[in-house]
Amino acid sequence: MSKNILKSSQERREEIGEEEGAEEEPTEDAVRDALLDAETKDEQPTKRLNAEIPTGLHERFKEACRAEGQSMTDALTQLVETYVELKGSE
C-alpha cells in the first residue's frame, strides 16, 4: 500500500474532522476508513494481519510510531518487508 495514498486519505479525513469539530486523534473507524479509501485506489490488494503481542510492547510500538509520525500499519509493513528480504521468500 502506498504511504502517500494512505497519508492523503488520512489528511482528507482529518480536514473534514476539523471542520466538524472532531477530536484531534483519529478514531479507529477513521483509520479503517482511510485504509479502505487507500485500498480502493491502490493496485495492490491488501490482507489483514492480526497478532497477539504483549500489551507493554504494543504501547511502546504505538508510542514509537507516533514519535516518528508514522502509522503502525506503515511501520509493520516496513518490518515485514525487511524480514522477508532478510529471510527470503519462495
Side-chain angles (χ1 to χ4, degrees):
M1 180 180 311
S2 171
K3 285 193 270 186
N4 293 335
I5 292 172
L6 179 58
K7 186 172 183 173
S8 66
S9 294
Q10 288 172 331
E11 288 172 350
R12 281 196 314 273
R13 293 205 182 278
E14 288 171 5
E15 288 171 4
I16 291 168
E18 288 172 6
E19 292 170 5
E20 296 173 356
E23 57 191 58
E24 289 182 27
E25 183 75 24
T27 63
E28 195 171 316
D29 289 337
V31 172
R32 185 177 299 115
D33 289 345
L35 288 170
L36 290 172
D37 285 349
E39 186 175 329
T40 59
K41 294 178 183 176
D42 198 0
E43 304 102 33
Q44 189 174 11
T46 62
K47 228 16 176 169
R48 178 169 297 277
L49 173 67
N50 292 321
E52 297 289 329
I53 62 171
T55 302
L57 178 59
H58 179 272
E59 292 302 318
R60 291 187 353 245
F61 179 59
K62 184 176 181 179
E63 184 56 38
C65 289
R66 184 177 295 137
E68 291 294 318
Q70 184 176 34
S71 73
M72 292 172 69
T73 299
D74 286 343
L76 281 171
T77 299
Q78 290 177 353
L79 288 168
V80 171
E81 286 173 349
T82 301
Y83 182 88
V84 170
E85 287 174 14
L86 290 173
K87 300 294 182 175
S89 65
E90 296 180 30

